[in-house]
Amino acid sequence: MKNLIVKKVCLAGILATLALTAHVIENLFPPLIMPGARLGLSNVFILLGGILLGDFYAYAILLVKILLGNTFSGHFEQIIYAIPAGLISLTVQLLALRLLNKISIVSISAVGGTLHLAIQNVIFCLLNDAIEYLTYLPYLTMIGLISGIAVGFAVWLIIKFLPEKTISGIL
Amino acid sequence: MTEVKCKTNENNNLKKQGFYNQIKSGKIFKRLDVLVFLIALMIIGGIFLGFYLINNKKPQCTGVEFVYNDEVVFTFNFDGTYQDNGFTGTVKIDKRTDNVYLLDFYFNQSQTEYTIVKINLEESYADVLYATCSYTQDCSKSPAIRNGEGAIICVPYNFKILPINGNRPLVTG
């Protein structure tokens, strides 16, 4: 039992590090088309955490990524938008995992990506008192959908081709 | 108690094993995915349509206003007139052509922190060309304000550029 927890914490640590690295590297580049629009590659590791380790570890990886990632990249203000957006979209994705026999991981991730950018945009508008910024909502949701598909595809590829022995004893 | 805890852990592990196996052995797309994507695209399409209809009903954009620390500090109209409403820094206005103006907003006395805004009167647009706020340059990557649509926000300097959509009187200066 103790051995299992140690293995899980180790894997969660590795996934959190990968998510953090992906987030920091992505932040070094300018946004794709408009501010806030990013591929969100770190979400690959958060979703993997949810699938392989469970809900608790997925939330832990998400919080580590947001708090440390934005601290390292110097975007402290982004923590305020990223926490609610990340928590809501991750909760929806973790709940949708229960429907995996009917819908694919790509769809689940696409819904999560869309929600994430939409919520982030709304919170940004409310906090900055700039309702005009909502005009970017349709574009951001579209970008969120596309990046969610890319993330979902990456998760599917990793699980498909990851040798089972690498995660033996955890599942 | 321990037995109950063990059973819960066992159930959780089975659940995770289920997710893992379903993805590992399943196809990349399933039938219901079509429905999910259709609903998502319909919602996004609805948002696009909603904003299109709202923007169509908006009065014509007459200019842009510059908000610094939550106060309108400068206004520039698309007829070439402008008004300084008490900007604490320095504004340099450079008329490049009859229709193109470059506005340099300096936020400190040593003029090391600044934002350069391009305004085109003919096309009724305002765009941030360069800012010293952060290396990612989010504000200069923002789409330009065109025909009264959009907004440019520089979070580090608490500086905003917002369109004036005719509901406020035209200022002269």
Side-chain angles (χ1 to χ4, degrees):
Chain A
M1 186 65 192
K2 261 189 183 174
N3 205 10
L4 178 69
I5 292 171
V6 172
K7 278 183 181 175
K8 277 184 168 183
V9 172
C10 286
L11 184 59
I14 293 168
L15 290 174
T17 312
L18 288 169
L20 199 55
T21 312
H23 178 82
V24 172
I25 290 173
E26 236 183 329
N27 261 296
L28 291 176
F29 297 97
L32 289 176
I33 301 163
M34 55 184 64
R38 287 199 166 82
L39 199 54
L41 280 177
S42 55
N43 293 321
V44 171
F45 307 105
I46 297 166
L47 203 51
L48 269 177
I51 294 162
L52 300 175
L53 301 166
D55 300 355
F56 172 77
Y57 291 95
Y59 284 116
I61 297 168
L62 173 81
L63 289 176
V64 166
K65 182 210 92 172
I66 293 173
L67 294 173
L68 291 184
N70 286 309
T71 307
F72 291 162
S73 54
H75 294 118
F76 297 104
E77 74 284 349
Q78 280 184 11
I79 294 174
I80 308 164
Y81 326 125
I83 285 183
L87 286 178
I88 296 170
S89 73
L90 181 62
T91 306
V92 170
Q93 287 178 92
L94 291 175
L95 288 172
L97 277 178
R98 274 81 179 161
L99 301 170
L100 256 181
N101 54 343
K102 289 180 181 136
I103 54 172
S104 71
I105 190 70
V106 179
S107 288
I108 293 170
S109 171
V111 171
T114 312
L115 266 178
H116 189 99
L117 284 191
I119 296 165
Q120 222 170 2
N121 184 239
V122 171
I123 295 171
F124 184 84
C125 291
L126 293 175
L127 286 177
N128 286 292
D129 195 22
I131 207 79
E132 290 87 353
Y133 216 74
L134 269 183
T135 39
Y136 302 133
L137 182 67
Y139 305 100
L140 285 171
T141 47
M142 199 69 210
I143 293 166
L145 184 77
I146 295 165
S147 60
I149 291 171
V151 166
F153 188 65
V155 172
W156 182 80
L157 276 179
I158 290 171
I159 291 187
K160 199 83 179 168
F161 297 105
L162 185 77
E164 269 187 55
K165 63 177 179 186
T166 20
I167 47 164
S168 64
I170 287 170
L171 288 171
Chain B
M1 186 67 184
T2 324
E3 205 176 303
V4 175
K5 208 175 177 184
C6 278
K7 271 192 177 171
T8 321
N9 279 331
E10 212 171 288
N11 284 342
N12 281 342
N13 285 344
L14 280 173
K15 197 170 72 186
K16 275 177 275 155
Q17 219 167 355
F19 297 157
Y20 176 78
N21 288 333
Q22 275 172 349
I23 298 170
K24 185 100 179 162
S25 58
K27 288 179 181 173
I28 184 158
F29 287 112
K30 293 176 183 174
R31 271 187 195 174
L32 271 182
D33 285 344
V34 180
L35 191 68
V36 175
F37 284 118
L38 265 178
I39 293 170
L41 286 174
M42 274 167 67
I43 293 170
I44 295 170
I47 299 172
F48 263 107
L49 188 69
F51 276 100
Y52 175 76
L53 293 175
I54 291 168
N55 284 328
N56 254 6
K57 283 183 183 171
K58 264 188 190 170
Q60 204 194 353
C61 181
T62 55
V64 283
E65 60 185 18
F66 299 86
V67 181
Y68 181 56
N69 289 333
D70 302 322
E71 276 179 40
V72 179
V73 291
F74 199 87
T75 318
F76 200 100
N77 300 310
F78 288 137
D79 62 0
T81 56
Y82 55 88
Q83 185 174 314
D84 191 337
N85 299 325
F87 180 53
T88 48
T90 315
V91 191
K92 280 184 187 169
I93 300 166
D94 180 9
K95 189 176 178 182
R96 285 296 168 102
T97 65
D98 278 349
N99 291 314
V100 178
Y101 285 80
L102 286 187
L103 273 64
D104 302 352
F105 286 85
Y106 294 95
F107 301 100
N108 60 352
Q109 282 195 330
S110 53
Q111 301 196 337
T112 49
E113 294 178 349
Y114 58 89
T115 298
I116 302 171
V117 183
K118 181 184 177 184
I119 291 180
N120 190 317
L121 307 181
E122 200 176 31
E123 294 172 31
S124 301
Y125 92 74
D127 194 15
V128 172
L129 293 186
Y130 182 77
T132 53
C133 53
S134 73
Y135 65 91
T136 51
Q137 295 268 309
D138 277 2
C139 51
S140 62
K141 297 290 180 303
S142 288
I145 297 172
R146 204 178 285 269
N147 300 320
E149 281 180 45
I152 300 174
I153 300 172
C154 175
V155 178
Y157 290 160
N158 198 6
F159 186 63
K160 295 179 224 172
I161 306 168
L162 306 171
I164 306 171
N165 283 311
N167 47 2
R168 271 165 275 185
L170 196 75
V171 291
T172 50

